[in-house]
Amino acid sequence: PFKPFLASAIKKASVVAEKHQNSKWTDNAYYILGKSRLYLGQWPDGLEALRYVYANGTDEADKNRALILLMRAYVYKKDFSNALGVAEYISQQPLSKSLQRDFYLTKAYLHQQNGEYLTSVAILEETFPLLSRSKEKARAYFAAGQMYDRLGEYGMAIERYKKVAKTHPDYDLGFYSSMSALQNQVVLNPSTDLSAVGFNKMLKDRKNLDLQDRIYYTMGLLEEHKKNIPKAIEYLQKSVSVSSTKAGSPKAYTYLQLARIHYDRLEKFDLAKAYYDSALAVLPKDAPEFLIVSDRKRALDTFATQYEIVAREDSLQKLARLSSVDLDSRIDQIIDQLEKKRLEQEKADKAKAEAAAKANNGANPGNAPQFGNERRWELYDPSLINIGKIEFKRNWGNRDLEDNWRRSSKQAS
């Protein structure tokens, strides 16, 4: 959307560069040309314009400004050796406060992109006094907090995350900094109760309604860190239930986390396979994890099938070694357990259906005819309709509305 404005900037700056070579604004014109062409992705032309300012410019401030932008362009292109060379030269030049701020931010960016987090965060600490209270300072504080996290300095990270709220950040940045601070508090003190530390307050805030999936996801990771696996699974499943498939949603990574827990920690390979299937369904194909997850899922398909066969055969072998009396007793016990589980499931389904019917239609909907104390016709009773749907789904699974749905094997679409 900014392309027309950049093209206009290039057109107007070119007039100065071509027709007014002796103007005192030539340095500024070439600087604007270089910056605009870099934004448009025209790297050779942009770099050439910035080098021209350095080689032919008459104003030292304009030359240093062009070198700082040139350094940033080198970092973006991963040309760290040239970027360090430019940084070494600029560090020996007298700089105004604004240029010193831009230089420090760019040099911190250089070391951060090069994986040198300790050097980067040290430069940022020197930059904070040069920054006014603005969104730029909020982003710098947040970046410092993230790098302290990488370095394992969670206390320092908490301090930087809390500074973000004092610099008028936008809502998303404020939300993530607050959540990161809470996360680090739990990491430093694993006995901390997640419901008391502040996550529940964030969940109740109506402004966080579309961010609840991220909150539950973080709570799940923290419970796993505390080795509370059942609670971790519960929070991750809640994240899935309230999540959407829009950009930025952690749904795919929540599925991957659930798959990893069931695979590595619980060794429930059938559930792990199901979660990998779900992750692949929503994971973007250009995501770096996509190929790895695809390979793991294919391997797990074969392994889970063989593992299920071995587990079933082991179970049958154990039953075969029992005496007839013990075998009958064991079979009765299994039947009783299955029946108990079925009744509990039916009771839960019925209660859920009745609650849903009551919420949707009220105790006595106006459009449902009543016939004294007689039992209502099923199609007039929402609770019976819901119970019937649940019974059908349990017996037949999720079926599309189509012909010949009872056939066990159909030609794949």
Side-chain angles (χ1 to χ4, degrees), residues 307-359:
Y307 185 83
E308 184 179 350
I309 293 172
V310 171
R312 183 175 66 247
E313 292 300 323
D314 284 348
S315 177
L316 292 175
Q317 290 292 337
K318 289 179 182 178
L319 292 176
R321 286 194 291 268
L322 296 176
S323 64
S324 59
V325 176
D326 292 338
L327 182 60
D328 290 340
S329 175
R330 178 60 179 158
I331 291 174
D332 290 339
Q333 185 180 355
I334 293 172
I335 293 173
D336 290 341
Q337 289 175 351
L338 292 174
E339 183 64 17
K340 182 179 179 182
K341 186 176 180 180
R342 185 184 68 81
L343 291 174
E344 288 177 352
Q345 185 64 38
E346 282 187 357
K347 185 178 179 181
D349 290 344
K350 185 176 180 181
K352 185 177 179 180
E354 289 176 351
K358 186 175 181 180

Side-chain angles (χ1 to χ4, degrees), residues 167-315:
T167 51
H168 305 300
D170 56 42
Y171 186 80
D172 281 348
L173 190 61
F175 168 81
Y176 284 113
S177 60
S178 299
M179 193 165 66
S180 297
L182 295 179
Q183 182 175 343
N184 284 346
Q185 289 179 30
V186 178
V187 172
L188 288 173
N189 185 10
S191 61
T192 304
D193 184 8
L194 295 186
S195 60
V197 76
F199 284 104
N200 277 10
K201 183 179 179 181
M202 296 181 76
L203 287 169
K204 292 177 182 177
D205 191 339
R206 289 190 301 174
K207 290 181 291 187
N208 296 333
L209 192 60
D210 58 340
L211 298 169
Q212 285 185 346
D213 51 353
R214 294 156 179 79
I215 300 173
Y216 281 126
Y217 177 71
T218 303
M219 294 171 76
L221 295 182
L222 291 173
E223 288 292 359
E224 186 189 0
H225 175 74
K226 295 165 64 175
K227 298 186 175 13
N228 189 355
I229 302 303
K231 201 68 177 176
I233 293 174
E234 178 187 340
Y235 284 136
L236 290 172
Q237 288 175 339
K238 284 183 178 179
S239 175
V240 170
S241 66
V242 299
S243 184
S244 64
T245 55
K246 64 182 181 180
S249 169
K251 191 168 189 175
Y253 297 96
T254 308
Y255 279 133
L256 287 178
Q257 194 70 13
L258 285 166
R260 190 185 59 77
I261 290 174
H262 283 87
Y263 185 88
D264 294 335
R265 292 182 176 270
L266 303 179
E267 295 187 354
K268 294 183 177 179
F269 303 111
D270 52 342
L271 286 175
K273 183 171 76 71
Y275 282 124
Y276 277 123
D277 288 340
S278 300
L280 282 175
V282 294
L283 191 67
K285 287 184 170 52
D286 57 350
E289 303 87 355
F290 187 84
L291 291 177
I292 299 173
V293 175
S294 299
D295 293 340
R296 172 64 67 89
K297 188 257 178 189
R298 280 195 296 270
L300 201 54
D301 283 344
T302 305
F303 177 77
T305 303
Q306 300 301 324
Y307 185 83
E308 184 179 350
I309 293 172
V310 171
R312 183 175 66 247
E313 292 300 323
D314 284 348
S315 177

Side-chain angles (χ1 to χ4, degrees), residues 17-36:
E18 292 173 3
K19 298 183 179 181
H20 304 280
Q21 291 290 336
N22 296 325
S23 170
K24 66 177 182 178
W25 301 106
T26 304
D27 298 349
N28 307 81
Y30 271 100
Y31 177 79
I32 291 173
L33 276 171
K35 193 172 187 179
S36 300

Side-chain angles (χ1 to χ4, degrees), residues 27-28 31-32 35 50 53-54 59-72 86 89-90 93-96 98-103 106:
D27 298 349
N28 307 81
Y31 177 79
I32 291 173
K35 193 172 187 179
L50 295 176
V53 177
Y54 166 67
D59 188 293
E60 291 298 323
D62 290 338
K63 291 168 67 173
N64 289 328
R65 186 176 295 109
L67 285 174
I68 292 171
L69 183 58
L70 182 65
M71 175 182 165
R72 185 172 184 85
V86 175
Y89 175 83
I90 298 175
Q93 305 303 311
L95 301 174
S96 64
S98 61
L99 286 178
Q100 189 176 25
R101 175 200 63 205
D102 294 342
F103 172 61
T106 307

